[in-house]
Amino acid sequence: MKKNYPSPLIGILTSRKANGALAGNCPLFIELQKRLISLNGISFVFIPEEIEKDSIIGYQFSPDDKCWFKKRFRYPDLVYNRIPFQKSEQAESSQYLFSLLKERNIPFFNPCFIDKYELYLLLKNHDPLQQYLPQTILAKDQEKLFSFLKNFNVLYLKPRYSSKGKGIFRLSIKGPGRIELEGIKHKESFPSFKLFWKSWNKELLEKNYLAQEGIESEEYAGHRFDFRILAHAEEDDFVITGVGIRQSHKQGITTHIPAGGRLLPYHMLQTTEHDQFMQAIVPHVGKALSAKLGFFGEFSIDAGVSKTGRYYIYEVNSKPMSFDETEIEERKIEQLCRLFLQLTETQK
């Protein structure tokens, strides 16, 4: 096909929902299109199943008409991976597309969802980050899990591929032999660990749970809080785009807003020590991920600080959710478009 589009041409990769509609963060796609047009670029949204030998069927947003148009495009100069479902990303059609992009030397990011346990092992082997990791094991052996629980008294149980706080539980020893399991909307007690395991081992094994050391988090106004750090690649480094505070509110298990957490502006709790911690970890996390899994142009980090003042990295997300802070979302659009231009310029 003739190159008859502005440059760069950015392909935003997503998938379909069960009802056939396009999935993903539509407001983000629209804002990226608006900003790219102002930079003499353009973007389109597409799915792996609609690629052809020399062209791609895609969907382009028109700011003037305020609607989407289905069109045929040449292969893009860069692909921004926003497939929102792990199952879709692992599908044969997606994996074929990724191999095709590599063959055609078309840059793309981010390459994959992050397995929480693989992340732990990866960062644990990266010297500058070891000190910030809560101890973590797979929750697949009764004796090992019980020993781990006795060691820390409180654990967090998390599915290896979950996000937004889904499926997370807190497991605690509450007295001689008594075990308590608490979720966002679930609370259950067991007279022994053996009975807990009998009741829950199928769930833990089928959903590939891991167990993470329970950290006694610092609190503000009587509720624990975490940092949400948004980061992007810039030149040969990684920089902080924005930081938000998420605080537990209606329940104490997770600070995620969909699960009842609430937002606080970072400046309310900002300290020199917090800033230094974030500035220290972001480049190392980005470089560790990119060296092992493929280029990560964007990621977010869930981190926190304990009551003793020790900092922790809890999770890293390869497909960051939208931030409720408008100024962070605006900087995100700018950083992404800057990265698009940088990466496509180096391909010329």
Side-chain angles (χ1 to χ4, degrees):
M1 294 183 74
K2 292 181 180 179
K3 186 172 180 177
N4 56 353
Y5 296 102
S7 181
L9 177 63
I10 306 300
I12 302 174
L13 181 61
T14 187
S15 58
R16 289 199 186 278
K17 299 177 185 176
N19 64 7
L22 287 179
N25 187 341
C26 200
L28 171 63
F29 303 162
I30 290 172
E31 290 306 313
L32 285 172
Q33 171 73 326
K34 290 178 180 177
R35 184 65 182 117
L36 278 168
I37 289 173
S38 75
L39 297 169
N40 196 38
I42 205 161
S43 65
F44 68 95
V45 179
F46 73 106
I47 61 173
E49 293 78 9
E50 293 185 343
I51 63 170
E52 298 174 359
K53 183 179 179 182
D54 295 310
S55 63
I56 297 175
I57 301 299
Y59 305 84
Q60 185 178 74
F61 181 77
S62 168
D64 293 335
D65 299 302
K66 294 183 172 57
C67 64
W68 293 85
F69 292 96
K70 186 176 181 179
K71 297 171 66 174
R72 186 179 296 275
F73 295 85
R74 67 171 172 86
Y75 270 73
D77 300 307
L78 176 144
V79 171
Y80 175 38
N81 178 12
R82 289 296 302 191
I83 294 178
F85 312 120
Q86 183 201 351
K87 187 175 180 181
S88 299
E89 191 175 76
Q90 291 181 339
E92 188 177 335
S93 57
S94 297
Q95 294 303 308
Y96 171 72
L97 172 61
F98 293 145
S99 65
L100 196 61
L101 294 175
K102 289 176 183 175
E103 282 178 23
R104 291 175 175 248
N105 202 30
I106 296 173
F108 66 95
F109 68 91
N110 298 313
C112 59
F113 282 94
I114 303 173
D115 177 319
K116 288 180 174 60
Y117 190 65
E118 285 185 8
L119 173 75
Y120 170 73
L121 296 178
L122 172 62
L123 300 187
K124 187 180 178 185
N125 288 321
H126 196 74
D127 289 345
L129 298 173
Q130 288 178 351
Q131 61 184 305
Y132 302 119
L133 302 177
Q135 291 193 45
T136 303
I137 64 168
L138 293 176
K140 62 180 185 178
D141 179 274
Q142 179 181 350
E143 289 185 10
K144 287 182 180 177
L145 184 60
F146 187 36
S147 176
F148 199 61
L149 176 60
K150 286 190 292 184
N151 193 30
F152 295 108
N153 210 50
V154 179
L155 303 177
Y156 281 93
L157 299 171
K158 303 177 179 181
R160 289 172 67 169
Y161 284 105
S162 69
S163 61
K164 304 176 188 176
K166 292 178 181 175
I168 186 170
F169 293 94
R170 183 166 56 202
L171 188 66
S172 313
I173 295 176
K174 289 295 184 181
R178 195 165 72 86
I179 304 296
E180 182 177 274
L181 183 73
E182 186 177 5
I184 294 168
K185 296 181 179 178
H186 179 94
K187 196 169 186 177
E188 195 173 357
S189 290
F190 301 88
S192 68
F193 184 86
K194 186 176 181 180
L195 289 173
F196 156 75
W197 181 259
K198 184 178 180 181
S199 178
W200 277 85
N201 79 87
K202 185 178 179 182
E203 176 86 0
L204 297 178
L205 296 176
E206 284 183 355
K207 295 188 177 177
N208 290 307
Y209 268 78
L210 56 78
Q212 193 176 78
E213 166 193 356
I215 306 300
E216 194 173 1
S217 296
E218 180 64 279
E219 295 180 351
Y220 173 75
H223 295 277
R224 60 179 287 240
F225 66 88
D226 294 338
F227 307 116
R228 294 288 188 279
I229 309 160
L230 180 62
H232 288 90
E234 186 174 273
E235 300 300 334
D236 295 322
D237 207 348
F238 294 85
V239 298
I240 296 172
T241 301
V243 180
I245 297 287
R246 298 296 179 266
Q247 185 181 38
S248 64
H249 184 45
K250 295 180 180 177
Q251 44 73 32
I253 306 300
T254 177
T255 62
H256 286 88
I257 287 179
R262 65 179 172 186
L263 176 154
L264 295 176
Y266 176 56
H267 68 79
M268 283 183 62
L269 300 175
Q270 187 172 10
T271 67
T272 301
E273 290 76 16
H274 295 346
D275 290 346
Q276 289 173 341
F277 160 68
M278 294 176 207
Q279 295 288 352
I281 65 169
V282 162
H284 287 297
V285 170
K287 289 170 184 175
L289 289 175
S290 296
K292 182 71 174 180
L293 301 174
F295 179 57
F296 276 77
E298 173 184 53
F299 56 89
S300 65
I301 302 172
D302 295 352
V305 60
S306 73
K307 288 185 176 179
T308 61
R310 183 175 172 183
Y311 290 96
Y312 289 93
I313 297 171
Y314 298 130
E315 294 182 21
V316 179
N317 307 294
S318 62
K319 314 281 178 71
M321 294 189 298
S322 293
F323 275 64
D324 294 292
E325 295 91 343
T326 306
E327 68 278 9
I328 296 179
E329 280 297 294
E330 289 173 351
R331 287 201 297 271
K332 172 182 177 176
I333 299 297
E334 289 299 318
Q335 283 293 95
L336 282 171
C337 290
R338 188 182 302 174
L339 185 57
F340 295 159
L341 294 174
Q342 175 199 322
L343 293 174
T344 53
E345 195 64 33
T346 58
Q347 293 300 108
K348 293 181 180 178

